[in-house]
Amino acid sequence: MNKDVLYKDLIPKPVSIKRQEGLLCFGVETKICVQPGCDQALKAAEHIAQTLRSLTGFPLPIEICTEEPKQGCLFFTSQGARGELGEEGYSLTVSAGLVTIRAHTFPGFFFAGQTLRQLLPPGEGPWQLEGVEIIDYPRFAWRGAMLDVARSFFSVDEVKRVIDLLAGYKFNRLHLHLSDDQGWRIMIDSWPNLALHGGSGAVEGGRAGYYTKDQYREIAAYAQRRAMVLVPEIDLPGHTNAALAAYPELNRDGIAPEPYRGIQVGFSTLAVEKEITYQFVRDVLGELAELTPGPYLHVGGDEAHSTTLEEYKLFLERVHTIVAETGKTLVGWDEIIQAGLEPTDLVQIWRRETKAQAAAGRGAKLIMSPCHHIYLDMKYNPETVLGQDWAALIEVKDAYGWDPVTVYPGLAEEDILGVEAPLWAETLRTIKDVEYMLFPRILGVAEIGWSPREGRSWEEYRQRLAAHEPRLEVQGVHFYRSPQVPWKGR
Ligand code: IFG
């Protein structure tokens, strides 16, 4: 493989990458050296070491080295890490016999490790790194995907698979849609029937199940070890049939509805006028906040078509107070703009017609999830068996050819916290279904979230994506071979 091709399949594209003299050949004596007292580097080094050991077969021992190493090692250090790299940036230099990774934080070191992996061949040797200098840092702070585990359940191992795949592309947020009309997926001790009853449902043909608290903690910890923050969502006041079916007293008339297995939306609402509703919300969000290491609680707020605007505003006002009591930051779908917003709120913009500018004007930061570009449950084309098409048909180029600042009018770079690709599961059943709808479109989202906008071109990206194919193959990803991409493989 010649040099250019070797580094022409990096996704997301680094801010700057320059060739330079030098070569590091992995061998039995190659070491990983970590600066003393740099625990963030050590944690990341341990993670990338496991990957490189299983890939290369070399022992790659980790050593704490007191002085700058000379030869034959991968050196992780915060010394000389430049300030402008920010919270998640890093520099990675390959010179003669030495790789030097400089960063300030665990995410920075971890993301450098993901780039390092992509500098090596996909599946077999030669295990060597050619001379290069990379300076890299993300454009946006929030780079996420959402997995809907409510319509159809996904096991802990399947969620871990999604985390592993996303972490490789520098995503740092996983939003789990834990409750909806069809299912409730997290045990809440003070309201056990939510999971026991609400966890037994799903869309027709979907999978039932729920996470125990320990399983949820396991997912959160697994994500954290991969520089990813878990963002849990309890959708309120709409999308609540599973909760209403589990507890009659939550219903206006005290009668519990039947479990729902269809795919309509907007027909359910909590009883905003009943005090028990707020006890429910306080208990649920309180227990979930206690379980969640990250700073975010997503309260949904979408498609509350059975809640009057008056009721919706009142409800959201009280939910704001409840979330504030947990110490977490409130995240909501863009309908929450119609209620009162706090400047600390994060608003997830999803609808084609939405008042994104209004939200930004009130100080909220925006997470861009435009349904017509990155709702990855949308079909690729009319022949795609999985997915829906109400928002748009979204081919690989559509998921790449947009920008978070210009996709809605009147926004500035600083209004945008980042991007997140939702994957709704009305039509998805297995992890292979998930992989097929995510890949390759999610790679474009990774690039939009991380890489500079300047110089972005579909023509250049589609070649790089095609060159990236062996990396998808070696990860065993079941991906859609779009005719828009000049794949090299079979
Ligand atoms: N809209 C609903 C989702 C899901 C989706 C399917 C949002 C915020 C349609 N709400 O998107 O629950 O049903 O594409």
Side-chain angles (χ1 to χ4, degrees):
M1 241 190 188
N2 74 51
K3 273 189 186 178
D4 275 354
V5 170
L6 189 57
Y7 294 154
K8 276 287 182 231
D9 62 350
L10 287 177
I11 297 177
K13 191 181 197 177
V15 171
S16 123
I17 175 167
K18 293 193 189 76
R19 295 259 159 283
Q20 66 176 27
E21 282 314 302
L23 181 71
L24 176 129
C25 298
F26 282 77
V28 289
E29 73 295 338
T30 307
K31 293 181 293 187
I32 294 178
C33 306
V34 179
Q35 169 204 344
C38 197
D39 296 349
Q40 310 250 3
L42 183 57
K43 264 194 334 184
E46 284 163 350
H47 191 273
I48 190 66
Q50 280 171 14
T51 305
L52 297 178
R53 286 171 190 145
S54 57
L55 186 72
T56 66
F58 294 122
L60 299 175
I62 295 179
E63 291 181 5
I64 303 296
C65 51
T66 47
E67 72 279 341
E68 290 255 335
K70 299 286 177 291
Q71 277 286 333
C73 87
L74 285 65
F75 180 40
F76 288 70
T77 179
S78 56
Q79 282 161 7
R82 293 156 45 174
E84 74 277 15
L85 294 175
E87 270 303 296
E88 298 179 279
Y90 65 90
S91 67
L92 187 161
T93 307
V94 180
S95 50
L98 182 63
V99 177
T100 306
I101 289 173
R102 301 180 195 278
H104 295 289
T105 67
F106 169 68
F109 288 113
F110 182 86
F111 295 136
Q114 305 318 305
T115 301
L116 185 69
R117 173 67 191 86
Q118 289 193 24
L119 294 179
L120 287 166
E124 65 285 320
W127 302 121
Q128 61 187 38
L129 291 165
E130 315 214 9
V132 73
E133 186 198 39
I134 293 175
I135 310 281
D136 203 10
Y137 48 86
R139 177 183 174 194
F140 293 116
W142 187 294
R143 304 178 307 280
M146 184 212 81
L147 182 60
D148 171 9
V149 297
R151 275 43 184 270
S152 187
F153 185 64
F154 290 96
S155 71
V156 172
D157 285 345
E158 289 172 324
V159 175
K160 286 179 175 179
R161 166 72 171 169
V162 173
I163 292 169
D164 280 334
L165 291 172
L166 294 179
Y169 296 99
K170 303 190 176 69
F171 281 96
N172 64 3
R173 300 283 185 273
L174 177 67
H175 167 179
L176 278 186
H177 185 76
L178 290 166
S179 69
D180 212 298
D181 291 318
Q182 299 85 348
W184 184 283
R185 305 300 182 200
I186 177 69
M187 173 51 74
I188 300 293
D189 296 333
S190 50
W191 298 72
N193 271 354
L194 292 170
L196 297 177
H197 186 269
S200 64
V203 293
E204 202 52 55
R207 291 190 293 181
Y210 66 86
Y211 305 116
T212 65
K213 289 194 163 184
D214 283 347
Q215 287 173 324
Y216 179 88
R217 287 189 187 96
E218 186 183 340
I219 291 171
Y222 194 87
Q224 218 168 14
R225 285 196 300 275
R226 290 154 182 80
M228 200 175 294
V229 176
L230 187 64
V231 181
E233 177 189 352
I234 298 293
D235 205 343
L236 306 165
H239 287 272
T240 42
N241 190 77
L244 295 165
Y247 286 95
E249 61 269 43
L250 284 177
N251 294 267
R252 278 208 165 101
D253 56 6
I255 299 167
E258 288 304 307
Y260 179 68
R261 302 183 69 86
I263 63 168
Q264 299 308 311
V265 298
F267 58 86
S268 57
T269 180
L270 292 175
V272 168
E273 75 288 354
K274 292 177 81 168
E275 206 43 44
I276 191 172
T277 296
Y278 301 96
Q279 189 56 51
F280 162 78
V281 172
R282 210 181 344 272
D283 292 344
V284 167
L285 296 186
E287 288 193 37
L288 189 57
E290 189 273 326
L291 275 179
T292 300
Y296 309 109
L297 270 187
H298 198 308
V299 298
D302 62 306
E303 297 178 324
H305 304 326
S306 304
T307 317
T308 66
L309 180 56
E310 195 50 40
E311 291 173 329
Y312 184 88
K313 287 181 174 179
L314 177 106
F315 178 78
L316 257 291
E317 191 179 334
R318 293 191 66 174
V319 166
H320 266 96
T321 306
I322 291 168
V323 170
E325 283 161 2
T326 71
K328 302 289 188 184
T329 294
L330 183 141
V331 190
W333 297 103
D334 63 35
E335 286 93 329
I336 67 169
I337 297 170
Q338 64 191 338
L341 280 185
E342 297 299 326
T344 53
D345 289 351
L346 306 186
V347 179
Q348 186 161 10
I349 305 293
W350 66 283
R351 294 175 294 174
R352 270 181 188 277
E353 305 305 321
T354 191
K355 298 182 178 54
Q357 197 176 1
R362 286 146 67 184
K365 290 294 179 205
L366 308 182
I367 298 163
M368 306 309 276
S369 299
C371 60
H372 48 308
H373 283 287
I374 56 172
Y375 260 40
L376 301 188
D377 61 316
M378 292 302 116
K379 293 173 183 290
Y380 288 97
N381 60 54
E383 287 69 51
T384 309
V385 173
L386 297 170
Q388 301 191 65
D389 58 9
W390 62 267
L393 291 174
I394 299 180
E395 251 287 3
V396 175
K397 183 179 180 182
D398 305 312
Y400 187 76
W402 67 286
D403 191 81
V405 174
T406 54
V407 66
Y408 293 95
L411 297 177
E413 184 92 6
E414 57 272 12
D415 297 327
I416 314 285
L417 188 60
V419 297
E420 181 181 298
L423 184 63
W424 301 102
E426 281 91 341
T427 66
L428 309 184
R429 298 293 175 266
T430 68
I431 188 62
K432 289 304 167 195
D433 291 348
V434 168
E435 292 177 14
Y436 187 79
M437 297 304 271
L438 285 180
F439 290 85
R441 292 177 293 188
I442 197 71
L443 299 184
V445 179
E447 183 135 314
I448 288 169
W450 179 278
S451 307
R453 177 181 179 183
E454 296 70 34
R456 179 168 303 149
S457 110
W458 165 250
E459 278 313 314
E460 182 277 328
Y461 173 73
R462 67 192 282 271
Q463 299 296 337
R464 190 155 34 95
L465 178 55
H468 195 86
E469 179 185 5
R471 298 186 187 278
L472 295 177
E473 300 275 4
V474 80
Q475 294 179 90
V477 175
H478 174 57
F479 66 97
Y480 163 66
R481 305 177 72 80
S482 167
Q484 296 179 337
V485 180
W487 305 107
K488 307 280 187 294
R490 49 185 164 74

